Amino acid sequence: MVNAPDPGLDLAMLRGLRAPSAKAGPRAAADIAARIEAHLARHDGYVAFSGGKDSLVVLDLARRVEPEVPVVFFDSGLDYPETYDYLTELAHTWRLDLHRIPTDPPLLQVLTDSGHWDHCAPVGTPVDLHEVLITAPARRAHALLGPGELWGVRADESAARRHLYTRDSRRDGIITRADGTTAYGPIWNWTTEDVWTHIARHQLPVNPVYAKLRELGVPEQQHRLSHLIDGGHLDRGRLTWLRRGWPTLFEQLADVLPRIRQLT
């Protein structure tokens, strides 16, 4: 019996044949490369890599300029199992200068200690998850590698991110922070279609979690590969997809955080 073709592969082929938009075309790519080179020369730093499609494209663009650019993965301890395997394989294949910086304490401990996920535990002090998951690990990464950061944050992902890139009338993808660090988003004004077209055209290896989510019927706009559970995006059925696609993992988490069963 001949197996049915993977619709995801067909879609990737079609995207690869599609002409890139002006924001992602050859002229734009040359400008992005020059800006990445200038950013690294001025700030040093690293590429923030989550294992998702956007940071994959940024990593590809950065490696075309500086193949040995440092790469940082903020490890919450609660990413998809496939993401950890994918990261290991990509680091080996691309010979990445990879730095894994764990959250301290691990995210699961933070969630457990908060009391918000257990019917019986006392509710503790509200937790700033952005500090735990992003700010504190980034602080350690900058101390190690320099004040610069290349990341895959895009303006069309949310109103907050659009504001981040357009405040003070700036539209250059550069974020200058009060702590002296500087982030440049090379694909800040790209669309999701631009991202997938670049991936297909250059045949970049994609995290297998995307295929798993597609098999589960998750709408593409909900294909998020960040932490399994962090308090965000729960209203979009994320825990339901986790329970269906990774049932053993879900039950292990529910034993520690029993309230998540109410959200599926």
Side-chain angles (χ1 to χ4, degrees):
M1 177 182 288
V2 177
N3 292 328
D6 181 352
L9 294 179
D10 292 342
L11 181 59
M13 292 176 62
L14 290 173
R15 282 168 162 158
L17 294 172
R18 184 172 298 160
S21 72
K23 296 175 182 177
R27 183 175 298 179
D31 179 62
I32 288 171
R35 296 187 67 194
I36 288 175
E37 184 176 18
H39 174 86
L40 291 173
R42 183 174 182 181
H43 304 290
D44 288 327
Y46 58 88
V47 176
F49 186 66
S50 67
K53 66 184 187 307
D54 299 331
S55 59
L56 175 65
V57 169
V58 172
L59 178 56
D60 175 62
L61 294 170
R63 289 180 71 249
R64 292 170 187 270
V65 174
E66 176 49 72
E68 298 181 357
V69 62
V71 181
V72 171
F73 175 70
F74 298 158
D75 187 357
S76 71
L78 279 184
D79 285 84
Y80 289 97
E82 293 90 340
T83 294
Y84 290 109
D85 293 339
Y86 168 72
L87 187 67
T88 298
E89 178 63 24
L90 191 66
H92 173 74
T93 304
W94 283 7
R95 299 181 179 180
L96 299 179
D97 177 18
L98 178 65
H99 302 258
R100 295 180 187 237
I101 297 184
T103 57
D104 184 20
L107 177 57
L108 184 58
Q109 181 180 335
V110 171
L111 296 176
T112 302
D113 292 347
S114 74
H116 292 288
W117 300 93
D118 191 325
H119 301 284
C120 302
V123 176
T125 305
V127 178
D128 183 348
L129 288 176
H130 190 272
E131 169 69 22
V132 172
L133 296 171
I134 305 296
T135 307
R139 192 180 302 120
R140 292 160 59 195
H142 286 301
L144 179 67
L145 299 167
E149 180 178 19
L150 293 166
W151 63 1
V153 174
R154 294 186 295 112
D156 75 349
E157 293 179 290
S158 68
R161 293 187 171 187
R162 283 193 296 275
H163 175 71
L164 184 70
Y165 279 122
T166 57
R167 62 186 179 188
D168 301 325
S169 300
R170 295 185 64 174
R171 295 179 179 271
D172 55 6
I174 295 175
I175 308 297
T176 302
R177 305 188 181 105
D179 63 0
T181 61
T182 300
Y184 170 43
I187 61 171
W188 74 275
N189 59 347
W190 286 25
T191 64
T192 300
E193 197 62 44
D194 289 331
V195 170
W196 283 119
T197 297
H198 180 94
I199 288 171
R201 182 172 295 274
H202 297 284
Q203 299 184 349
L204 303 183
V206 177
N207 191 323
V209 173
Y210 284 112
K212 184 73 169 284
L213 294 174
R214 188 170 61 246
E215 290 171 4
L216 292 170
V218 181
E220 186 168 353
Q221 64 270 24
Q222 296 180 24
H223 286 194
R224 303 185 65 90
L225 268 61
S226 56
H227 324 289
L228 297 176
I229 177 173
D230 60 10
H233 310 291
L234 300 182
D235 57 331
R236 304 179 192 178
R238 183 167 181 174
L239 289 174
T240 298
W241 306 126
L242 178 62
R243 190 172 197 171
R244 292 179 181 175
W246 294 264
T248 300
L249 180 56
F250 177 87
E251 290 302 324
Q252 290 171 345
L253 287 173
D255 286 342
V256 181
L257 308 171
R259 195 179 291 272
I260 69 173
R261 289 194 173 95
Q262 293 180 306
L263 300 172
T264 60

